[in-house]
Amino acid sequence: MAYDKLSCKEILEKLSEYIDEELDPSMCDEIDEHMGDCPPCVAFMNTLKKTVKLYNTSGDEVDIPSPVRTKLHDFLRRRCNEEKE
Amino acid sequence: MSSESRLEENELIRRAKKGEFAAFEELVNMTEGKIYNHLLRLVNNPSDAEELLQETYLSAYKNISSFKGNSTFSTWIYRIATNHAFMLFRKRKPELPIDELPLPTHEELKRREIRDWDFDPADAAQSGEVREILSEAIGELPENYRAVVLLRDIEGFSTAEAAEALGINEGAVKTRLHRARIFLREILSSHFAPEELAAMEGK
């Protein structure tokens, strides 16, 4: 697909899609080319990637506390019954 | 989701639509843990999360006949939960700012002497101190950006699923996600690379 060369602004707008591998391969090549010659953009992209990775690996699930679960089910049993009547 | 569990889910939904509470309760059992975690991260307050959890499932029960099966039951519940959380946000802060989070310019990156962080994120994320920083940074995001990051980067939703769960289009998910990640990067950078020049002049 032919398109105009990406501007620096467009490259910065597309970095997340690049990281998430959601970009057209030719756009990725263009971003790679830009990165080869621009240390601040490389550092920015690497720290953005690390930000994403930190959040990807930090999401522990807590168990729903037993009293919260009990209250939820009691509440639903009561209110759903009222709905039926 | 395997085709077997999808079949089981469809059967429970069919029975719940007929008013069978036991079937609805089984759907609650299957999703309540994830929804509770989502709400807790979104509102960052256990008692609000508890109340929203109740409202979410009551609303699901009342509206189950409108569930058409275009998404999974779980995605549908995420949408109801997120809507209820936003109703709460609006009630407390009716003038919710809709400012767009900024993107840096190329010149700014050059001027700020951005440097890479010298650690492995998978290792760093094991540290309690780092987790606290991550959680505080999420809390500083405007709510509509926070919801996108939670779904995409913490809860592992695809762009399409997040769009469905938030009732916005995929383009809006991508835009908000990118700006939210940049906002988070800035906050994390002030911890991990304090020598980096601040984003704003005079900050």
Side-chain angles (χ1 to χ4, degrees):
Chain A
M1 189 177 79
Y3 57 88
D4 292 335
K5 204 167 154 50
L6 294 172
S7 66
C8 293
K9 182 169 177 284
E10 285 168 327
I11 286 177
L12 287 172
E13 275 171 2
K14 295 202 175 297
L15 282 185
S16 277
E17 287 174 78
Y18 176 85
I19 292 171
D20 295 338
E21 299 178 354
E22 289 180 341
L23 273 189
D24 185 279
S26 55
M27 276 196 196
C28 291
D29 291 346
E30 211 177 310
I31 291 178
D32 288 338
E33 194 185 326
H34 175 87
M35 292 290 166
D37 197 29
C38 187
C41 270
V42 172
F44 188 74
M45 185 176 72
N46 285 343
T47 49
L48 195 61
K49 269 187 189 167
K50 285 180 181 174
T51 300
V52 176
K53 187 80 184 167
L54 279 167
Y55 282 104
N56 285 167
T57 46
S58 72
D60 280 349
E61 298 266 308
V62 297
D63 286 334
I64 179 167
S66 178
V68 172
R69 187 171 184 275
T70 306
K71 274 199 253 174
L72 170 68
H73 286 258
D74 288 349
F75 170 85
L76 289 174
R77 212 164 288 132
R78 191 179 71 247
R79 294 294 303 272
C80 296
N81 242 332
E82 286 168 13
E83 284 297 314
K84 274 192 207 170
E85 285 163 8
Chain B
M1 186 182 232
S2 71
S3 56
E4 199 176 314
S5 39
R6 190 74 194 242
L7 276 177
E8 188 194 346
E9 185 183 280
N10 287 344
E11 174 60 15
L12 289 170
I13 291 164
R14 192 186 62 76
R15 286 165 45 202
K17 280 184 174 178
K18 286 185 171 172
E20 198 182 313
F21 181 73
F24 178 73
E25 197 169 28
E26 192 52 40
L27 291 164
V28 176
N29 292 336
M30 286 159 65
T31 49
E32 63 192 356
K34 282 189 178 301
I35 297 296
Y36 178 72
N37 274 274
H38 176 66
L39 286 169
L40 195 57
R41 290 186 186 115
L42 192 55
V43 299
N44 204 17
N45 174 318
S47 83
D48 285 342
E50 180 177 343
E51 197 171 313
L52 288 168
L53 189 69
Q54 295 181 356
E55 288 171 11
T56 295
Y57 282 106
L58 179 61
S59 175
Y61 183 81
K62 287 182 185 171
N63 294 294
I64 187 107
S65 60
S66 71
F67 176 70
K68 299 281 183 264
N70 299 329
S71 64
T72 62
F73 180 77
S74 164
T75 308
W76 187 66
I77 290 285
Y78 267 92
R79 183 160 179 174
I80 298 173
T82 308
N83 280 343
H84 278 273
F86 276 86
M87 281 191 261
L88 179 73
F89 294 145
R90 278 193 289 269
K91 203 162 93 186
R92 295 204 177 144
K93 266 199 301 187
E95 72 292 5
L96 202 64
I98 48 162
D99 291 350
E100 272 215 333
L101 292 177
L103 290 178
T105 65
H106 200 239
E107 290 64 38
E108 201 181 308
L109 296 189
K110 284 185 176 161
R111 181 179 55 75
R112 292 175 56 200
E113 299 171 26
I114 306 267
R115 269 169 252 167
D116 200 353
W117 302 335
D118 186 21
F119 59 74
D120 176 64
D123 291 341
Q126 304 309 313
S127 140
E129 194 186 340
V130 170
R131 281 167 182 255
E132 201 161 311
I133 293 170
L134 295 175
S135 164
E136 278 176 18
I138 285 275
E140 289 190 38
L141 271 172
E143 289 88 351
N144 51 350
Y145 290 88
R146 192 187 308 155
V148 175
V149 171
L150 291 180
L151 291 172
R152 287 283 285 118
D153 287 345
I154 298 184
E155 289 157 24
F157 279 50
S158 67
T159 301
E161 288 166 339
E164 184 68 38
L166 296 169
I168 57 178
N169 65 44
E170 292 188 26
V173 170
K174 288 181 184 179
T175 307
R176 284 190 205 171
L177 178 66
H178 185 47
R179 286 165 190 266
R181 283 173 174 176
I182 286 174
F183 178 92
L184 294 171
R185 195 214 77 91
E186 292 297 325
I187 296 182
L188 301 187
S189 207
S190 66
H191 292 275
F192 302 144
E195 72 285 356
E196 187 177 291
L197 300 177
M200 302 297 186
E201 293 291 345
K203 187 175 166 183

